[in-house]
Amino acid sequence: MIAILAAHAAAALIAIPLVLRFGRRAFLALALVPAAGAVWVAANLDRVPTESIQWAPGIHLAVDLRMNALSALLALIALGVGALVLVYCTWYFKDDEPRLHLFAAELVAFAGVMFGLVVADNMILLYIFWEITSVLSFLLVGHYAARASARRAATQALLVTTLGGLAMLVGLVILGQAAGSYLISDVVAEPPSGTLVHWALVLVIVGAGSKSAIAPLHFWLPGAMSAPTPVSAYLHSAAMVKAGVFLVAAMTPGLSGSSTWQLPLIVLGLVSLLMAGWRALRETDLKLVLAFGTVSQLGFLLVLVGIGSRDTMLAGLTMLLAHSLFKSALFMSVGVIDKTTGTREIRELSGLGRRRPALALVFTLAAASMAGLPPFLGFVGKEAAFATVLSEERLHGMPSLVVTAGLVAGSVLTFSYTARLVMGAFRSKRSFPGGISTAVAASRPAGALFLSVPAVLAASGLVLGLWNAPVEIQVARYVDAAFPPGSPWRGGEDYHLGLWHGIGVPLALTLVVYVLGALLYVAQRTVERMQFESPALGNADRIYDAVLKFFDVLSLRLTASIQRGSLPLTLGIILVTLVVFPFVSLLAGTREGLRMELSANPVVLIVMIPMALAAVAATVLRNRLAAVICMSVTGYGLAVIFAFHGAPDLALTQSLVETLLMVAFVLVLRTMPAEVPLSNGFRRVRAWLGIGVGLLVVVTGAYAINARQDPAVSTVFPDIAYEIGNGANAVNVTLVDIRAWDTLGEITVLLVAATGVASLVFRNRRYGSGPRLADVDKTRSGRRGVEAARIVIDAPGATPGRWLVGATVRDPRARSLVLEVTTRLVFPTMMVLSLFFFFAGHNNPGGGFAGGLVAGLALVLRYLAGGRYELGEAIPVDAGRILGVGLLLAAGTATASMFLGAPALSSATFEATLPVFGEVKFVTALLFDAGVYLIVVGLVLDILRSLGARLDLDTEDLDELRAVYVDATALPSTAALRSVAGVDADGARSDLAEYRAARRAARPEAAENRGTTGGRTP
């Protein structure tokens, strides 16, 4: 099973280059992957294979896979139909289809994820696959991203299914904790009980209902019909929408004794069945009719599997298979109609049955199974449903006669809209001349291969109806194991599938369905008049919009009340909250036995004196740079304290981070006034707030130490680090092995923060790899070429050298000979030191984080000495790429560890004797550390290019603009220039471009004017 998942992951990766190279023909090759998986599943139907890989045992997460008969049935549907849909895509799309390569990758990935969902035995793993299907559905529904309807439908589907999934996650966690196991098989075998468990069941139902489009969370499915037809045929009929029904079917054998489980499922299923079936009678778009029909039949399925008896489960799973076959065939047939005629509107189709009899035959075969006509599998399942529900006596507060009546009424609606589908699409209408509409007359014939895929699915419904023994054998494997003999939810005599069970009540109900359904179709005009102008229970789509609007308004008002655009106010609110709530909690709790002692180390006491003075000075000083330096004094002092308390790693990291923060502050402060205009009262408030936060940290730490009842875990970390992580540096091993999941989350947040800062600075796009010395040679029409050429003119005779070549094109007034010479000597040493920290960090102070900081500071030095061109020469790579590669490398270590037999994000060790190096021990955590190293380097590079190089460029533009406004009046084409007062950066750059163009056009006049005015002055 893991091999099938890995094969789909690999196929999704190679799908992109494959489709780019071979076009839509690549779908045929990609279809082989799910087809091979379906073959493997079919070969193991009589087994219950299990596989398990430890992932994160501390949070009960493991790759526990178990394929029972139910999982095998759903896997066959997901993989088998998935393979056919991929084949169908070969003729549905054209080679010039936009984003076709991404579509192929997403569709193959979805097939693999859906397989993982149905074979996952661990509930947390199931949730992970559950949410990935939502993300892939979002991408597939929004394939036509240029259409507003597609974007709205994709977002709507994602929000509804994801929020439902989050509710389900809470329920699964409660169930897992109550049962003492997170395996579905264990929860079903020994279901937990208690008040909290009832709430958990409600939350699981919410999740299942959102995924399977059960009312009132059904509205996203009709909207998703804006997706390409292969997506509708696969995700929204055969695969994803079955996930909720599957989860209910998997958990019902253990939970059907609870009224909290059974009753809501029956009620919600019947409401969906009737509401959506009635709505399908008013739609004129073929796909929308099928969409509401899908919602209706999913309600039918939910009732059957939610009752929780052996026989109703047998009927429900039979109907589930039948529905997957006929509904995917109908969607694909509608896709053929749409592609050949250019329309899906019933009112625009007439005479298609005469013009395309093969298409009409395939469509009719699938529709007959949906309507429940013999001898199709749909008839077998519906007959079983009537018979088993009518005889069920173990329903909680819901008479079986009422449930059966609801199923019959829903089946009448199904028969009626099925007849409307067939007749509306294929019959000749008298309103058109000759009975042929314009769209049908202009249609082109569908290729035999294009029609073959829906034909296979439609024919399967007929074959399995005539020969339903294989279906009963497979379904009975599950229901007989889930409801063994002696189970309270197993009747005396088991029901068996068949085309003929004799004359009885189920057959009579079936005939009632046919008669009333036919009458309802004949009276469709009356039905249309009976349809409400607006839905009686409200328009779910409009309710969704109203809910979103409410939260938008609420968030805006809440933000407006606490976010006034003032950074000091925002930070003040955060810090006041931080101080008040913990102190109140501490005062309300116990305070016995609290004691504090001064450090016995005199060096620490001495270091605390300048730290305290610097902290006080930071609140008094008006000069921003002086305040930053004072804050850095406290940071460096803390590093000294760490060092004297036996934490060299923390001391090293604190020093490096403090230095980097000071550089970032200085880069930003260049664009701000030198002094802060603060009143004495405001400074006192800042001081008291700082004192409060400091006291909180100290008191909280003291309480935490006082509350400890067991030995500190840190005392055993050195031994654990060496035994588990094969490293003597407990700090680094903890970061890259023991708590690597924490580190992965932290570096992900770091990357997101870097991207956010860059987006705020650049507004439109990233700065790229930065300007290089080669840009100086660009023509003057290029923006950076103009600027670089101007700098070269200011520094005539400068020739590039081997080191700090960027400095040769800087303004000579901005150069420092001492700094340049020092940089040439120090930079290589710092880079070697960074690599030393990186490689030695597993056993000595250092690591990827410290090494990356040292390398980043080396880049800072080169930037300060050589400017932005030197930065481009030092690392001519986009910072975003470095960040992405680092995160990919760190995250990839999880997979690499599992393949090497170790838990995810833990160390797998290899030892060998090499000719030159001797005994070498390689730990896979080094790869994770390399990812951390790259992320830190990329972050520093991003800071230097966003807060440094970019602001340098803006500043120089504004400086030049000030000079422009002095002599602009002498130029004939600058009448549109704005006055110097209130010029923003964007307007400045626009004006500067106009000025440069005018200057090139009137260079002699400008030179003459400058001579008469005595030159430009800033």
Side-chain angles (χ1 to χ4, degrees):
M1 291 180 282
I2 292 178
I4 294 177
L5 293 174
H8 281 82
L13 291 176
I14 67 172
I16 295 176
L18 206 62
V19 174
L20 289 175
R21 174 65 179 84
F22 298 101
R24 56 194 174 95
R25 292 172 296 172
F27 281 100
L28 294 174
L30 296 174
L32 295 176
V33 178
V39 171
W40 182 87
V41 172
N44 291 274
L45 290 177
D46 56 346
R47 296 175 55 237
V48 184
T50 58
E51 296 178 20
S52 180
I53 297 178
Q54 288 299 311
W55 187 350
I59 57 173
H60 306 283
L61 178 56
V63 184
D64 292 315
L65 305 180
R66 180 174 180 269
M67 191 179 74
N68 59 11
L70 175 63
S71 301
L73 177 65
L74 269 295
L76 280 176
I77 294 172
L79 297 176
V81 177
L84 291 174
V85 168
L86 285 168
V87 173
Y88 176 82
C89 290
T90 307
W91 292 277
Y92 182 83
F93 292 110
K94 296 180 180 178
D95 285 326
D96 58 352
E97 177 81 16
R99 301 177 66 251
L100 187 60
H101 56 295
L102 297 177
F103 180 89
E106 293 156 4
L107 200 60
V108 173
F110 181 87
V113 171
M114 190 66 199
F115 173 77
L117 189 153
V118 299
V119 299
D121 194 27
N122 184 288
M123 291 189 291
I124 305 299
L125 181 65
L126 180 142
Y127 168 75
I128 292 174
F129 284 123
W130 186 281
E131 295 294 40
I132 295 176
T133 59
S134 295
V135 174
L136 290 173
S137 172
F138 166 77
L139 296 173
L140 290 166
V141 172
H143 174 68
Y144 299 121
R147 303 176 184 174
S149 59
R151 296 195 301 271
R152 171 185 165 80
T155 304
Q156 192 178 71
L158 180 67
L159 287 177
V160 174
T161 58
T162 301
L163 292 177
L166 289 173
M168 183 189 74
L169 175 63
V170 177
L172 294 178
V173 170
I174 295 174
L175 284 177
Q177 291 297 111
S181 172
Y182 277 76
L183 298 181
I184 297 176
S185 53
D186 291 345
V187 173
V188 173
E190 297 183 14
S193 59
T195 304
L196 203 57
V197 171
H198 289 289
W199 287 106
L201 298 184
V202 173
L203 293 173
V204 172
I205 290 173
V206 170
S210 67
K211 185 70 79 172
S212 288
I214 300 300
L217 302 176
H218 65 284
F219 53 90
W220 67 266
L221 183 58
M225 292 304 107
S226 59
T229 297
V231 175
S232 303
Y234 188 30
L235 276 68
H236 305 143
S237 64
M240 190 182 83
V241 292
K242 297 297 195 306
V245 177
F246 160 77
L247 182 62
V248 171
M251 304 189 77
T252 288
L255 303 175
S256 55
S258 170
S259 59
T260 309
W261 179 259
Q262 187 192 76
L263 194 58
L265 291 173
I266 295 175
V267 173
L268 292 175
L270 289 176
V271 170
S272 300
L273 171 65
L274 299 175
M275 179 270 300
W278 178 255
R279 179 68 185 275
L281 293 176
R282 65 182 292 181
E283 298 297 334
T284 58
D285 185 304
L286 294 176
K287 279 186 72 172
L288 280 180
V289 176
L290 290 174
F292 281 105
T294 299
V295 174
S296 176
Q297 286 144 4
L298 288 170
F300 192 99
L301 296 175
L302 197 68
V303 172
L304 295 177
V305 300
I307 289 175
S309 68
R310 185 264 180 196
D311 291 343
T312 57
M313 186 69 73
L314 177 75
L317 296 181
T318 303
M319 277 300 300
L320 185 145
L321 176 60
H323 180 266
S324 298
L325 295 175
F326 65 67
K327 191 53 69 73
S328 54
L330 287 171
F331 268 115
M332 291 186 197
S333 299
V334 169
V336 175
I337 294 173
D338 190 15
K339 286 294 181 180
T340 55
T341 65
T343 183
R344 300 193 305 258
E345 274 291 322
I346 290 177
R347 291 169 294 192
E348 298 176 8
L349 293 171
S350 178
L352 187 60
R354 283 189 293 164
R355 298 291 295 269
R356 305 287 178 257
L359 176 60
L361 177 62
V362 171
F363 194 96
T364 304
L365 288 176
S369 185
M370 182 167 71
L373 295 175
F376 293 90
L377 185 61
F379 167 79
V380 175
K382 200 160 291 186
E383 188 94 344
F386 293 159
T388 56
V389 174
L390 191 61
S391 60
E392 187 56 60
E393 300 176 352
R394 292 172 291 273
L395 300 181
H396 293 283
M398 180 72 71
S400 60
L401 191 61
V402 174
V403 179
T404 305
L407 296 181
V408 170
S411 300
V412 170
L413 296 173
T414 302
F415 188 94
S416 180
Y417 66 69
T418 302
R420 187 165 176 264
L421 266 175
V422 176
M423 302 303 289
F426 294 101
R427 74 180 178 90
S428 298
K429 302 178 178 68
R430 287 178 292 181
S431 57
F432 292 96
I436 304 293
S437 65
T438 304
V440 173
S443 66
R444 60 185 186 277
L449 294 176
F450 191 19
L451 196 57
S452 63
V453 177
V456 168
L457 292 167
S460 299
L462 175 60
V463 172
L464 292 178
L466 293 169
W467 183 44
N468 48 64
V471 177
E472 179 166 11
I473 291 173
Q474 179 60 23
V475 176
R477 285 195 182 105
Y478 174 67
V479 297
D480 289 341
F483 305 97
S487 169
W489 290 91
R490 183 162 182 164
E493 184 177 351
D494 294 339
Y495 183 87
H496 296 281
L497 301 178
L499 276 173
W500 178 253
H501 288 88
I503 299 175
V505 176
L507 181 61
L509 293 177
T510 301
L511 294 177
V512 168
V513 168
Y514 296 160
V515 173
L516 294 181
L519 292 175
L520 195 59
Y521 167 71
V522 172
Q524 58 180 310
R525 293 188 181 276
T526 304
V527 172
E528 290 175 0
R529 287 195 296 270
M530 290 173 60
Q531 292 275 6
F532 298 103
E533 289 294 329
S534 58
L537 301 178
N539 188 309
D541 211 39
R542 292 180 182 174
I543 294 174
Y544 164 83
D545 290 334
V547 170
L548 287 187
K549 184 177 179 181
F550 169 77
F551 283 106
D552 282 343
V553 172
L554 179 64
S555 64
L556 288 173
R557 291 182 177 176
L558 183 62
T559 304
S561 63
I562 63 175
Q563 298 285 343
R564 299 283 184 175
S566 169
L567 185 59
L569 177 62
T570 302
L571 291 176
I573 293 173
I574 295 173
L575 293 177
V576 168
T577 305
L578 175 66
V579 171
V580 171
F581 282 93
F583 267 131
V584 171
S585 301
L586 290 174
L587 291 174
T590 177
R591 295 171 299 282
E592 296 179 1
L594 181 64
R595 73 180 191 277
M596 299 175 62
E597 297 178 1
L598 289 176
S599 173
N601 193 326
V603 176
V604 174
L605 298 177
I606 294 173
V607 171
M608 290 173 63
I609 295 174
M611 289 177 64
L613 293 176
V616 173
T619 64
V620 176
L621 291 170
R622 291 181 179 271
N623 186 278
R624 285 189 167 95
L625 182 58
V628 168
I629 294 174
C630 287
M631 288 192 295
S632 295
V633 169
T634 63
Y636 288 121
L638 189 60
V640 174
I641 294 175
F642 285 151
F644 279 93
H645 275 79
D649 267 291
L650 293 179
L652 174 64
T653 304
Q654 176 69 23
S655 300
L656 295 172
V657 169
E658 197 63 49
T659 305
L660 189 60
L661 283 176
M662 184 186 292
V663 171
F665 271 116
V666 171
L667 291 176
V668 175
L669 291 180
R670 294 178 304 163
T671 64
M672 302 175 69
E675 294 190 353
V676 183
L678 295 178
S679 64
N680 291 331
F682 189 74
R683 282 187 290 173
R684 282 194 293 270
V685 171
R686 289 198 310 163
W688 282 113
L689 188 56
I691 292 171
V693 173
L695 283 176
L696 173 69
V697 173
V698 173
V699 173
T700 304
Y703 272 117
I705 295 173
N706 180 65
R708 177 175 290 154
Q709 298 178 353
D710 297 311
V713 69
S714 58
T715 59
V716 297
F717 259 39
D719 296 332
I720 295 176
Y722 193 78
E723 293 172 3
I724 298 177
N726 293 285
N729 184 355
V731 174
N732 186 254
V733 174
T734 301
L735 292 175
V736 300
D737 187 325
I738 300 174
R739 301 299 298 259
W741 281 106
D742 291 347
T743 308
L744 182 62
E746 290 162 2
I747 61 177
T748 303
V749 171
L750 199 64
L751 187 145
V752 173
T755 303
V757 170
S759 64
L760 289 173
V761 172
F762 298 131
R763 291 183 296 275
N764 297 323
R765 60 183 180 85
R766 278 183 179 270
Y767 199 42
S769 59
R772 301 189 62 186
L773 199 62
D775 295 330
V776 175
D777 299 328
K778 291 184 177 180
T779 62
R780 295 196 174 215
S781 60
R783 181 168 185 246
R784 286 182 296 178
V786 172
E787 170 216 352
R790 178 173 57 79
I791 298 173
V792 172
I793 292 172
D794 291 339
T799 56
R802 295 183 59 190
W803 281 93
L804 298 178
V805 292
T808 61
V809 293
R810 297 186 77 186
D811 189 334
R813 293 169 297 179
R815 297 181 63 177
S816 169
L817 181 61
V818 174
L819 182 59
E820 290 181 18
V821 173
T822 304
T823 302
R824 295 184 184 188
L825 296 174
V826 173
F827 178 78
T829 306
M830 294 183 69
M831 292 304 298
V832 171
L833 182 62
S834 78
L835 293 177
F836 171 77
F837 281 146
F838 168 65
F839 285 107
H842 209 58
N843 293 293
N844 297 290
F849 192 70
L853 287 173
V854 173
L857 289 174
L859 292 174
V860 169
L861 194 59
R862 277 189 84 162
Y863 164 71
L864 294 176
R868 62 178 177 277
Y869 284 97
E870 182 61 30
L871 196 61
E873 295 294 329
I875 300 186
V877 182
D878 184 4
R881 295 181 184 273
I882 298 176
L883 290 167
V885 171
L887 184 62
L888 184 64
L889 190 60
T893 307
T895 307
S897 300
M898 290 192 294
F899 278 113
L900 295 173
L905 285 177
S906 63
S907 300
T909 307
F910 300 92
E911 298 185 28
T913 303
L914 300 180
V916 178
F917 298 95
E919 294 290 336
V920 175
K921 179 188 291 186
F922 176 77
V923 182
T924 56
L926 184 68
L927 301 176
F928 184 88
D929 224 10
V932 175
Y933 182 95
L934 290 176
I935 285 177
V936 174
V937 172
L939 175 65
V940 174
L941 192 61
D942 222 13
I943 291 174
L944 291 176
R945 286 180 179 161
S946 57
L947 303 181
R950 179 66 180 191
L951 296 184
D952 286 346
L953 191 57
D954 290 343
T955 302
E956 290 177 7
D957 281 350
L958 290 172
D959 288 341
E960 185 177 354
L961 184 65
R962 292 189 187 99
V964 166
Y965 281 113
V966 173
D967 67 345
T969 55
L971 296 178
S973 60
T974 55
L977 291 179
R978 291 173 287 273
S979 66
V980 71
V983 174
D984 63 317
D986 288 333
R989 282 189 286 273
S990 176
D991 285 352
L992 187 58
E994 292 184 35
Y995 167 73
R996 287 170 175 166
R999 189 177 182 83
R1000 287 194 298 272
R1003 190 173 304 277
E1005 297 178 33
E1008 181 181 351
N1009 290 329
R1010 280 202 306 275
T1012 58
T1013 58
R1016 297 185 297 177
T1017 57

